């Protein structure tokens, strides 16, 4: 049986009572829903499954796909309806606390409906393209390099590794044999800018020329031997590669702008002083976060 948890879904009777379905469909006449199951005479339809998937889909196991995913949600709704009916028999829906929670959930559904509409309306192709072009135009010229490294514990080990690769042994082979950085296959660090690395590593690597092998470099992670492969101006990623990221940025900005506008036009009275603002960090379009932190990279 799927694990039960509180969701925005309630019984069909409760949802009808607070008008959530009408709010979410913005007054449109719904198509005839297909009944997928009945629980003591109460219909569960494909519309119910779709709403539940929108609400719960992100938390479902990744291996659940297609029909299996829908069946999982249908089982959840059947279990939920059984619990809801028991709660109704126990008159839990008639308590003051339940009324307060229902009002909260109604407000939350209204907020999500409006913010969802704002996000959808804002993320036009023209808006995404404009935001991307502005970000690309504002990117400062910057050099990035492609390098390999061997990470060991002591300076003597680093000198021994340096001697082997300078004598002609394959750098990747020596890295596989000796390096403590198992995340970098054959010591390959890929492309990176100087600010991505701890200062000692970045300073040494960016002074090198392609093909050069460094002397031992000490950082907080240990001792490194660096091989510089290539240098190039940092390339701004193409739109297709960052479209989702740019779209999220455009949508979130439109939602944020709406909140600011509504706050400016509202009379808000607080009985207590608010806590100091905690500003969340923003990721601008085109700024890719690393999939993993390599030993030479700065700790976030």
């Amino acid at each position: 049986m799927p694990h039960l948890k509180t969701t925005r879904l309630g019984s069909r009777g409760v949802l009808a009572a607070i008008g959530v379905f009408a709010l979410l469909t913005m007054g449109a006449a719904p198509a005839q829903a297909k009944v997928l199951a009945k629980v003591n005479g109460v219909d569960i339809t494909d519309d119910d499954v779709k709403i539940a998937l929108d609400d719960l889909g992100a938390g479902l196991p990744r291996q659940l796909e297609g029909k299996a995913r829908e069946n999982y949600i249908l089982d959840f709704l059947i279990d939920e309806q059984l619990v809801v009916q028991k709660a109704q028999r126990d008159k839990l829906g008639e308590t003051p606390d339940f009324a307060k929670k229902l009002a909260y959930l109604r407000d939350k559904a209204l907020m999500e409906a409006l913010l969802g509409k704002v996000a959808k309306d804002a993320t036009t192709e023209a808006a995404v393209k404009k935001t991307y072009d502005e970000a690309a135009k504002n990117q400062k010229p910057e050099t990035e390099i492609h390098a390999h490294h061997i990470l060991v514990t002591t300076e003597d080990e680093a000198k021994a590794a340096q001697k082997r690769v300078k004598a002609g042994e394959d750098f990747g082979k020596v890295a596989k044999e000796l390096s403590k950085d198992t995340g970098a296959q054959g010591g390959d660090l890929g492309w990176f800018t100087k600010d991505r690395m701890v200062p000692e590593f970045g300073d040494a690597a960016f002074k090198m020329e392609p093909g050069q092998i460094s002397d031992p470099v000490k950082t907080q992670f240990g001792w490194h031997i660096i091989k510089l492969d290539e240098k190039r101006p940092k390339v701004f990623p193409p739109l297709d590669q960052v479209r989702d990221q740019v779209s999220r940025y455009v949508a979130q900005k439109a939602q944020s702008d709406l909140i600011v506008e509504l706050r400016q036009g509202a009379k808000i009275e607080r009985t207590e002083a608010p806590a100091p603002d905690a500003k969340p960090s923003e990721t601008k379009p085109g700024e890719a976060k690393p999939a993993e932190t390599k030993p030479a990279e700065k700790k976030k």
Side-chain angles (χ1 to χ4, degrees):
M1 180 194 325
H3 179 66
L4 293 176
K5 66 177 182 179
T6 302
T7 73
R8 287 178 289 141
L9 292 170
S11 72
R12 293 175 57 77
V14 172
L15 287 174
I18 64 174
V20 171
F21 284 140
L23 291 168
L24 292 179
T25 56
M26 305 300 288
Q32 185 65 35
K34 179 182 178 182
V35 176
L36 301 178
K38 287 179 180 286
V39 180
N40 296 324
V42 176
D43 293 345
I44 297 176
T45 70
D46 54 351
D47 284 346
D48 297 326
V49 170
K50 182 179 183 304
I51 292 171
L53 272 172
D54 288 343
D55 185 38
L56 305 174
L60 294 182
R62 291 184 179 180
Q63 63 268 28
L64 283 176
E65 297 180 356
K67 197 65 178 175
R69 196 176 182 85
E70 294 178 9
N71 287 336
Y72 185 97
I73 289 294
L74 180 58
D75 281 338
F76 169 82
L77 291 176
I78 289 171
D79 294 337
E80 180 191 57
Q81 186 55 226
L82 290 168
V83 175
V84 166
Q85 291 176 17
K86 174 67 166 65
Q88 289 173 332
R89 291 194 297 272
D90 292 348
K91 301 186 183 304
L92 295 183
E94 299 175 14
T95 64
D97 285 345
F98 183 78
K100 292 176 184 177
K101 187 169 185 178
L102 203 57
Y104 166 79
L105 293 174
R106 179 185 180 278
D107 288 349
K108 186 170 182 283
L110 270 172
M111 178 189 72
E112 290 174 349
L114 178 57
L115 292 180
K117 182 178 184 300
V118 168
K120 183 178 179 180
D121 291 345
T123 51
T124 63
E125 180 63 25
V128 170
K129 179 84 164 55
K130 180 181 178 183
T131 301
Y132 170 83
D133 289 342
E134 288 176 352
K137 181 180 178 181
N138 292 332
Q139 179 181 268
K140 297 177 181 178
E142 192 173 11
T143 298
E144 61 180 357
I145 64 173
H146 180 202
H148 284 65
H149 82 141
I150 298 169
L151 173 63
V152 291
T153 304
T154 68
E155 184 177 11
D156 286 342
E157 290 175 306
K159 288 179 177 179
Q162 179 195 38
K163 183 177 181 181
R164 288 176 59 179
V165 294
K166 282 197 169 184
E169 283 195 60
D170 180 72
F171 195 96
K173 176 178 172 292
V174 177
K176 283 183 179 181
E177 181 184 332
L178 301 179
S179 185
K180 296 194 302 177
D181 181 7
T182 56
Q185 295 297 318
D188 191 354
L189 293 170
W191 289 95
F192 55 89
T193 51
K194 187 175 181 180
D195 64 319
R196 284 277 301 278
M197 299 299 176
V198 291
E200 302 89 344
F201 191 98
D203 288 344
F206 276 79
K207 289 176 183 176
M208 297 168 62
E209 294 300 326
Q212 187 176 353
I213 295 172
S214 74
D215 289 330
V217 176
K218 189 177 188 305
T219 73
Q220 67 199 67
F221 301 106
W223 289 85
H224 308 258
I225 298 299
I226 306 167
K227 177 177 178 289
L228 182 65
D229 301 300
E230 301 175 78
K231 279 187 178 181
R232 70 182 183 190
K234 183 179 179 181
V235 179
F236 200 77
L239 176 56
D240 286 346
Q241 186 176 322
V242 294
R243 181 178 296 277
D244 288 346
Q245 187 178 334
V246 177
S247 295
R248 284 195 301 272
Y249 177 85
V250 171
Q252 290 169 2
K253 186 176 186 305
Q255 292 170 336
S256 177
D257 289 347
L258 172 66
I259 298 298
V260 170
E261 179 185 342
L262 292 174
R263 276 182 169 270
Q264 289 174 345
K267 182 180 180 181
I268 300 173
E269 300 175 71
R270 303 183 70 142
T271 58
E272 296 181 3
D277 289 340
K279 296 182 180 180
S281 60
E282 278 190 359
T283 301
K284 298 178 182 177
E287 289 183 344
K289 291 186 176 180
E292 59 178 324
T293 301
K294 302 182 180 72
E297 290 182 312
K298 292 180 179 178
K299 289 184 177 179
K300 303 298 181 185

